[in-house]
Amino acid sequence: MFSIIGIILSLLMMMYFAYKGVSVLLLAPILALFAVLLSGEISQLFGFYTQIFMSGLGDYVVKYFPLFLLGAVFGKLMEDSGSAQSIAYSLVQKLNGNNALLAVVITCSILTYGGVSLFVVGFAVFPIAAAIFHTANIPKRLIPGAISLGSLSFTMTALPGTPAIQNMIPMPFFGTNAFAAPGLGLIGSVVMFTVGYGWLMYRVRKAKIAGESYGENYHTQEKDTEEHFPALWKALLPIILVVVCNYIFSKLIPLMNTEYLSEAKYGKTKLNNVLGLWAIIGALVISCLSIIMLNWSRWKNLKETLNKGTMGSLLPIFNTASEVGYGAVIASLAAFSAISHFLLNISASNVLISESIVISMLVGSTGSASGGLSIALSMMGQYFLQLAEASGIHPELLHRVAAMASGGLDTLPHNGAVISLLAICGLTHKSSYFDIFMVTVLAGLLGLVVVIILGSLLGSF
C-alpha cells in the first residue's frame, strides 16, 4: 500500500514542482528515489539510481540525441536566416487582416510541420500576430490559443510525416515510420483543426459582440519588413524537403543491403527498429544543408548559429531523458504492476483504449508529451505490441494512437511549453489558458477518440 501511495505522491509532486518551475533534472531522480523509499527498498537506493534511473536516461539519449540535435539546429537556422519570419510575414500579407486568426494558425502549422520548435515559432510569430490582431481589433488574450492550435496540436501528433519528436518516439517500439496510419492521421488532424478553429472563431465573435478590443498594452515597434527576409520559396523549400526526403528515405533505405545490422557490433537489431529514425535523420541533414546553401550570403556568423542550435538541444533532451529515467524506476517497483493492471483493465478488450489511457495519464502527470510518451512506451510498449498482434491490430495504428494520446493531457497548466508561450506573449494563465485548453486538450482528445473508433472498426489505413 505504501508503495502505491509513494508512486502517486511522486507523480503529484512532479506535477506541482514542475509547474513551480523546478528543473526536472533535479526533480526526476529525487522523486523517483522518494517512491523507492516509500516502497521499503531503502537498501537498494543507490542501485536504483545508477543502474535503473541512469540506464533509462542514457538509453534515451543514445537513441534520440540525433533528432534533438538536428531539430534544434534546423530551427535555429530557420530563425537566423529569416526564413521563419519570411513565412510568417508572407502568409499574413496574403491572408490579410480579415483572416488574422487563420493567418496565425496556418503560419504556425507550416513552421511546426517543418520541424521548427515551438519556442522559435512563438518568438517569430508573436510580434506579427500582435500587429494583425491589433489591426483586426481581436483581443490579445486569444493569441496564445491561435499559436497553440497551429503548433501544439495536429501538427505535433497527427499529421503523417511530421518530424515532431512525439511522432518519432513510437517508431523503434513498433517498427514504424513517421507516416504511420496516414489516413487516420489526416482524419484526426481535420477533427482537431475544425474543433480548435471553430472554438477560436466563436471566441472572436463573442468578443466583438461584447465590444472587447485588442487591449491597451500594444506598442508599435520598429520591425524588419518582408523584403529583409529570404524569398518565400527559399523559406518553404527546406520545410518541404524535411517531409519529402523523410518519405523517400523510408522507401529507399529498405532497398539497401542492411543485413550487417544482425551482427553483434550493431546490436543484432532489425531494420524496422531503426528505419524511421534513419529516415528523419537523413531528411533533417539535407534540409539543414539546404538552408545554409540557399542563404549563403545572409549568414552573419554561421558558426555561432550552429553552436547555439547545438547547445539548444541539450536541455530539452536531458529534461526528457530524466523523465524516462524516472519512469524506468517507477516501472521497476512491484506496486507499479498493480497500477498498470488497473489501468489496462479499464478497457481490457481494446488495446488502443488501454494504450491511450496509460499514455494520457503519464503525459498529464509529467506535463510533457515526449516525456510521458517515452515513459509509457519504455514501460509497456512491448506489452502493447504483443496485445495488438494477438488482436490483429497493425503496429501503425498503435503508433498513431500513441502519438495522438501524447498530445491530449500534456498541455495542462504545468506544461513547460504553455508556460513559455504565455511568457512570450506577456499574458497569464487566467487570461489565456482556457483557450489553450480548448484547442489542445479538448480538440486533441476528440481527435483521438475519432481515430480509436475508426481504427477499431476499419483497422489501420
Side-chain angles (χ1 to χ4, degrees):
M1 176 60 71
F2 278 110
S3 185
I4 293 177
I5 293 174
I7 292 174
I8 295 173
L9 282 177
S10 176
L11 285 170
L12 290 175
M13 286 192 289
M14 175 78 83
M15 184 185 302
Y16 174 77
F17 286 113
Y19 177 70
K20 290 296 184 180
V22 180
S23 172
V24 74
L25 293 177
L26 287 173
L27 278 180
I30 291 172
L31 293 179
L33 297 180
F34 170 78
V36 173
L37 285 174
L38 287 190
S39 73
E41 301 181 65
I42 301 176
S43 63
Q44 302 174 29
L45 210 59
F46 287 106
F48 270 99
Y49 179 65
T50 62
Q51 305 308 117
I52 299 178
F53 179 89
M54 289 306 299
S55 292
L57 182 153
D59 289 345
Y60 185 88
V61 172
V62 168
K63 186 178 293 182
Y64 293 111
F65 179 67
L67 298 183
F68 278 84
L69 172 64
L70 291 169
V73 170
F74 177 83
K76 192 60 180 173
L77 288 170
M78 287 289 289
E79 179 183 15
D80 285 3
S81 67
S83 297
Q85 295 89 335
S86 174
I87 293 171
Y89 273 111
S90 298
L91 284 176
V92 167
Q93 184 183 58
K94 294 181 187 307
L95 290 173
N96 66 59
N98 294 327
N99 296 293
L101 185 64
L102 184 61
V104 173
V105 173
I106 292 180
T107 298
C108 294
S109 300
I110 291 174
L111 290 172
T112 51
Y113 188 59
V116 181
S117 73
L118 168 74
F119 303 101
V120 174
V121 172
F123 281 113
V125 174
F126 171 68
I128 305 165
I132 62 173
F133 269 50
H134 183 263
T135 301
N137 208 26
I138 297 174
K140 178 186 177 183
R141 62 181 173 80
L142 297 179
I143 293 178
I147 293 177
S148 296
L149 177 58
S151 57
L152 290 176
S153 59
F154 60 96
T155 54
M156 186 177 82
T157 63
L159 270 183
T162 176
I165 190 65
Q166 292 80 6
N167 193 40
M168 302 294 108
I169 290 171
M171 296 191 305
F173 293 99
F174 302 137
T176 51
N177 60 45
F179 295 88
L184 288 170
L186 286 171
I187 292 172
S189 298
V190 170
V191 172
M192 294 163 73
F193 173 82
T194 302
V195 172
Y197 188 69
W199 170 258
L200 290 176
M201 287 297 294
Y202 162 74
R203 296 284 276 178
V204 169
R205 288 194 298 269
K206 188 175 179 181
K208 287 187 179 297
I209 292 173
E212 184 180 358
S213 63
Y214 176 87
E216 300 302 322
N217 56 347
Y218 177 76
H219 302 285
T220 57
Q221 300 175 356
E222 186 177 347
K223 304 181 183 71
D224 289 328
T225 54
E226 188 179 356
E227 55 265 24
H228 291 123
F229 299 127
L232 181 59
W233 72 268
K234 285 186 178 182
L236 287 173
L237 183 58
I239 290 178
I240 295 171
L241 284 175
V242 171
V243 180
V244 173
C245 291
N246 185 8
Y247 181 79
I248 292 174
F249 277 124
S250 69
K251 300 300 180 183
L252 185 62
I253 292 174
L255 302 178
M256 301 164 59
N257 180 14
T258 56
E259 294 180 0
Y260 65 87
L261 288 174
S262 61
E263 298 176 19
K265 67 178 179 179
Y266 296 107
K268 295 184 178 180
T269 190
K270 296 179 180 179
L271 177 61
N272 281 345
N273 294 335
V274 295
L275 176 59
L277 293 173
W278 287 5
I280 191 61
I281 287 172
L284 284 171
V285 167
I286 290 176
S287 297
C288 287
L289 291 175
S290 73
I291 300 174
I292 294 173
M293 291 186 291
L294 287 169
N295 299 280
W296 187 253
S297 62
R298 303 180 61 85
W299 299 111
K300 296 178 180 178
N301 192 333
L302 180 58
K303 181 178 71 174
E304 183 180 357
T305 294
L306 294 173
N307 286 343
K308 285 185 176 180
T310 300
M311 296 304 295
S313 69
L314 298 182
L315 184 59
I317 190 171
F318 276 98
N319 277 342
T320 306
S322 294
E323 291 173 337
V324 173
Y326 168 85
V329 171
I330 298 299
S332 68
L333 298 176
F336 179 76
S337 61
I339 296 174
S340 59
H341 182 73
F342 169 76
L343 292 174
L344 291 171
N345 280 339
I346 293 176
S347 180
S349 61
N350 191 319
V351 65
L352 299 179
I353 297 178
S354 298
E355 178 188 43
S356 64
I357 289 173
V358 171
I359 292 172
S360 295
M361 292 290 290
L362 285 169
V363 300
S365 299
T366 60
S368 168
S370 57
L373 178 59
S374 298
I375 293 170
L377 295 186
S378 295
M379 293 188 299
M380 308 187 73
Q382 191 59 38
Y383 180 70
F384 290 142
L385 186 59
Q386 291 173 355
L387 288 180
E389 290 174 346
S391 304
I393 294 175
H394 199 283
E396 286 196 5
L397 184 51
L398 277 183
H399 174 131
R400 188 53 56 207
V401 168
M404 292 184 66
S406 75
L409 298 181
D410 68 310
T411 44
L412 292 177
H414 61 294
N415 174 266
V418 170
I419 294 170
S420 297
L421 177 59
L422 290 173
I424 290 170
C425 297
L427 293 164
T428 64
H429 281 77
K430 182 179 180 180
S431 64
S432 300
Y433 177 71
F434 184 54
D435 296 301
I436 295 175
F437 176 89
M438 295 298 289
V439 304
T440 57
V441 178
L442 180 63
L445 291 177
L446 288 175
L448 175 63
V449 169
V450 170
V451 167
I452 289 176
I453 292 173
L454 290 177
S456 300
L457 294 174
L458 305 176
S460 179
F461 62 91

